[in-house]
Amino acid sequence: LQEAASGRLPRKLQVFRPQCQSILTAAAGKLGLKVEATRRTEALKRELNQRASRYQGDYHPTKLEQPPPQALPDYLWGEKWRFATFPAGDLVATFGDRPIPIQDLPASLFPINLGIASTIEVPGVVIYGGRHSLQLARWLQETKPVAINFIPTEVGFSGGLVLEAGLIERWILVTFEDQEVATAGQTFEKRKQASQGLHFLVVQPDDSGMTTTGFWLLK
């Protein structure tokens, strides 16, 4: 938006509405611009919401219709998983310096750039993929993870994890009927609130901690 306001062509165009992607891609191609489909268009969404506030009625310009979540293919899911936390002050330095084959650490989501105190525990999910670890990480890379949400089905007793990905896609990572895990899921969501929504996803072959296959910062 700033580049457009100054009369310069932007380096790329970002679009968060699937319906607009094809027409923008066609127009951008004539200008030699790339189009990136992403939900992370915060400046644009702020501008749209500000304009919408001037009008009466139930109008939400950034709200998108989403399909029901789809089940994750069985052959992709790992051997086990767990909730985890990591201090905000060490998160980027620790995982950013590791030789991780697949990772997504956008600077806009660095805790320091979000103003998150270094002592805040950032929550996350770790999946131990076993022999399918790299295959799962590659699938996630193509799917473009955005966020993981704990969805309770019976508060305090059961629920599941839903992966928000791409522009409108949703995937069921796991479901469970376990009081302890359901309580941990509620804690996961509370910690997300404390970290301004920042959380992470890690894929590792096992729980030895020696190798990490994929890492994503999410929000």
Side-chain angles (χ1 to χ4, degrees):
L1 289 176
Q2 292 176 343
E3 290 178 344
S6 64
R8 300 194 307 269
L9 283 176
R11 290 165 294 175
K12 63 182 177 182
L13 298 178
Q14 293 182 319
V15 55
F16 70 91
R17 286 188 177 278
Q19 302 92 328
C20 300
Q21 187 173 355
S22 59
I23 190 171
L24 276 178
T25 300
K30 297 178 180 179
L31 298 173
L33 301 177
K34 294 182 178 180
V35 173
E36 178 187 10
T38 175
R39 298 192 197 190
R40 294 174 180 150
T41 55
E42 301 306 323
L44 174 59
K45 289 178 179 178
R46 280 197 302 270
E47 179 68 20
L48 291 174
N49 285 326
Q50 287 176 0
R51 294 186 181 187
S53 65
R54 304 170 190 167
Y55 304 97
Q56 295 181 347
D58 188 23
Y59 175 53
H60 304 283
T62 60
K63 185 177 181 180
L64 300 177
E65 292 292 331
Q66 289 185 291
Q70 303 296 307
L72 190 74
D74 290 338
Y75 69 90
L76 284 176
W77 185 243
E79 297 177 351
K80 57 183 179 179
W81 68 279
R82 67 179 177 89
F83 290 113
T85 62
F86 213 87
D90 301 329
L91 187 62
V92 173
T94 299
F95 288 97
D97 290 341
R98 291 183 183 179
I100 302 175
I102 298 172
Q103 57 178 296
D104 184 23
L105 290 86
S108 60
L109 296 187
F110 285 7
I112 191 172
N113 293 335
L114 293 173
I116 299 174
S118 61
T119 55
I120 291 291
E121 292 289 330
V122 177
V125 173
V126 181
I127 302 174
Y128 301 116
R131 294 184 295 105
H132 301 296
S133 182
L134 184 57
Q135 187 178 18
L136 172 59
R138 285 174 174 166
W139 180 85
L140 287 166
Q141 183 184 35
E142 294 176 358
T143 307
K144 298 181 179 179
V146 175
I148 296 175
N149 297 318
F150 165 67
I151 308 296
T153 51
E154 185 177 355
V155 177
F157 291 95
S158 61
L161 296 180
V162 173
L163 172 71
E164 300 279 345
L167 295 182
I168 58 173
E169 291 81 14
R170 304 168 73 202
W171 297 89
I172 301 172
L173 290 180
V174 65
T175 59
F176 44 82
E177 294 183 2
D178 184 291
Q179 186 172 356
E180 184 177 349
V181 179
T183 300
Q186 293 174 331
T187 302
F188 171 74
E189 289 297 326
K190 290 179 180 177
R191 284 176 170 157
K192 279 170 58 180
Q193 293 177 6
S195 63
Q196 300 182 32
L198 183 68
H199 54 296
F200 62 86
L201 171 62
V202 176
V203 175
Q204 296 178 328
D206 52 53
D207 59 2
S208 67
M210 299 296 293
T211 305
T212 299
T213 311
F215 180 86
W216 292 263
L217 277 180
L218 309 173
K219 187 176 186 295

